[in-house]
Amino acid sequence: MNATESAWGAPDGHQIRRIDWPSGAAGENAPPRGSILFVPGRGDAYEKYLETLEQWSRAGWRVTAADWRGQAGSGRLGNDPVTGHIGDFSTWIDDIAAFWTDWKTATPGPHVIAGHSMGGHLVLRALAEHRVDADAVVLSAPMLGYVGTVLPLRVMHGAAKIMARLGDRTRPAWKWSEKPGEVPAGRIDLLTHDKDRYEDELWWRQQRPELVMGPGSWGWVERSYASIRGLDRPGVLEAVTTPVLLIGTTNDRLVEMAAIERAANRLPHGELLRLGKEARHEVLREVDDVRDRVMAAIADFLDRVVPVHDAS
């Protein structure tokens, strides 16, 4: 793997971890296909997606991935090392906007941004707020709603506000496991059918303990509802003119497929890859048959919306 890890300094000085691949197209002098920036989900680390990032590099893309502030190797914002906390999602939007500006200047176009789960939500929000100006967008199981939400978003948000006010906003919003530091039993059933890829994540957590993260804080939960409601407002997604591929599965037990479908219908240039019982939440880390289908769909989408002859 011909990748380099380094740190990027946000405007306020916070250090955010990143990893970069040069274009891996055949022949050292082959022009790059363009550039892809990938951002992972809540509690995620880019180590989980090295297989996908390397595959894009080998296809000729210049590839970068980065942590979100406050997780993986980019510090913590709460009062303990495992609870994921943020004061407001706008902090992450500011980070991705500043990173995008620096990254786009330093990399060849066309420029694509991809995000998984919470990362997909934040990418779509940054796009809607005109904080990034991507040529194409890929969203893997984007966090646009939660499974099991039967009440209106405003009611759920109101309940989260109450819970956040009842104590320390940085306290964990749900139980992690009976034994501190140990991933919950059955966690794989939420994420993937592929045991080897799941165990790869656990291996990275052993090698790099700073990657370990458990539940989100009540502050994170409350702010997540606020951010989801912001994207849900009439006219927000309808004003996005960038081509967007959304990938979701009806078998997801974390994010709501119906919300992903609604977003695909509202986006003027939205496309949807709809998976079923063959896939769980981490569609980029599924068994080979499923993952191959997902990667082929992404390649086809990019070939159509940012064709090779448009690369510069």
Side-chain angles (χ1 to χ4, degrees):
M1 186 178 72
N2 187 24
T4 303
E5 292 183 288
S6 62
W8 172 78
D12 66 355
H14 191 100
Q15 295 296 297
I16 292 176
R17 202 178 56 132
R18 65 185 290 177
I19 186 169
D20 294 88
W21 280 255
S23 166
E28 292 184 2
N29 296 320
R33 171 72 175 81
S35 301
I36 298 177
L37 172 61
F38 176 83
V39 286
R42 192 209 72 80
D44 250 351
Y46 59 62
E47 283 86 348
K48 292 173 60 175
Y49 303 93
L50 295 178
E51 179 183 18
T52 294
L53 303 174
E54 175 79 5
Q55 187 170 338
W56 283 334
S57 171
R58 291 183 182 278
W61 294 93
R62 170 77 162 76
V63 179
T64 298
D67 290 338
W68 292 108
R69 176 192 299 241
Q71 64 180 44
S74 295
R76 295 291 183 271
L77 302 176
N79 293 330
D80 66 69
V82 294
T83 303
H85 178 70
I86 191 72
D88 191 81
F89 276 33
S90 62
T91 299
W92 283 327
I93 299 299
D94 289 343
D95 283 346
I96 195 65
F99 191 100
W100 176 265
T101 298
D102 290 351
W103 176 80
K104 185 180 177 184
T105 300
T107 56
H111 291 93
V112 177
I113 187 167
H116 172 69
S117 196
M118 185 189 79
H121 168 90
L122 291 167
V123 165
L124 190 55
R125 177 172 161 180
L127 195 69
E129 294 180 6
H130 306 288
R131 303 296 300 279
V132 300
D133 56 347
D135 297 303
V137 174
V138 176
L139 305 179
S140 160
M143 186 190 79
L144 304 178
Y146 297 124
V147 168
T149 301
V150 295
L151 297 174
L153 276 174
R154 60 180 176 79
V155 176
M156 298 301 296
H157 186 199
K161 284 182 179 179
I162 292 172
M163 292 302 298
R165 289 171 181 163
L166 286 177
D168 185 352
R169 290 177 62 88
T170 67
R171 75 190 191 280
W174 61 89
K175 193 172 184 178
W176 190 13
S177 65
E178 295 296 333
K179 183 178 179 180
E182 185 175 286
V183 295
R187 178 173 174 266
I188 185 175
D189 296 331
L190 298 175
L191 303 181
T192 177
H193 292 90
D194 194 295
K195 186 174 183 289
D196 290 339
R197 288 186 171 103
Y198 181 74
E199 290 183 349
D200 173 73
E201 176 194 4
L202 303 186
W203 183 87
W204 278 108
R205 285 180 172 222
Q206 291 175 347
Q207 301 304 308
R208 297 179 170 185
E210 68 273 18
L211 304 184
V212 175
M213 179 164 279
S217 69
W218 274 111
W220 179 90
V221 171
E222 188 274 318
R223 288 290 83 196
S224 75
Y225 275 115
S227 193
I228 289 171
R229 291 183 70 191
L231 277 180
D232 201 48
R233 290 198 308 269
V236 173
L237 296 185
E238 288 79 2
V240 174
T241 59
T242 307
V244 181
L245 173 64
L246 302 95
I247 305 164
T249 171
T250 58
N251 196 32
D252 203 319
R253 291 166 57 192
L254 296 175
V255 302
E256 185 189 34
M257 183 62 185
I260 296 172
E261 292 174 325
R262 288 194 299 271
N265 289 330
R266 291 176 60 195
L267 289 161
H269 301 287
E271 299 185 24
L272 176 67
L273 174 60
R274 190 177 191 269
L275 303 171
K277 63 182 181 180
E278 72 275 13
R280 291 173 177 155
H281 180 62
E282 292 183 345
V283 296
L284 292 171
R285 290 169 50 78
E286 261 298 349
V287 294
D288 286 347
D289 287 349
V290 176
R291 184 180 175 278
D292 289 348
R293 179 182 168 196
V294 170
M295 294 300 290
I298 294 171
D300 173 73
F301 170 74
L302 295 178
D303 284 345
R304 287 186 287 106
V305 301
V306 283
V308 174
H309 60 75
D310 282 355
S312 58

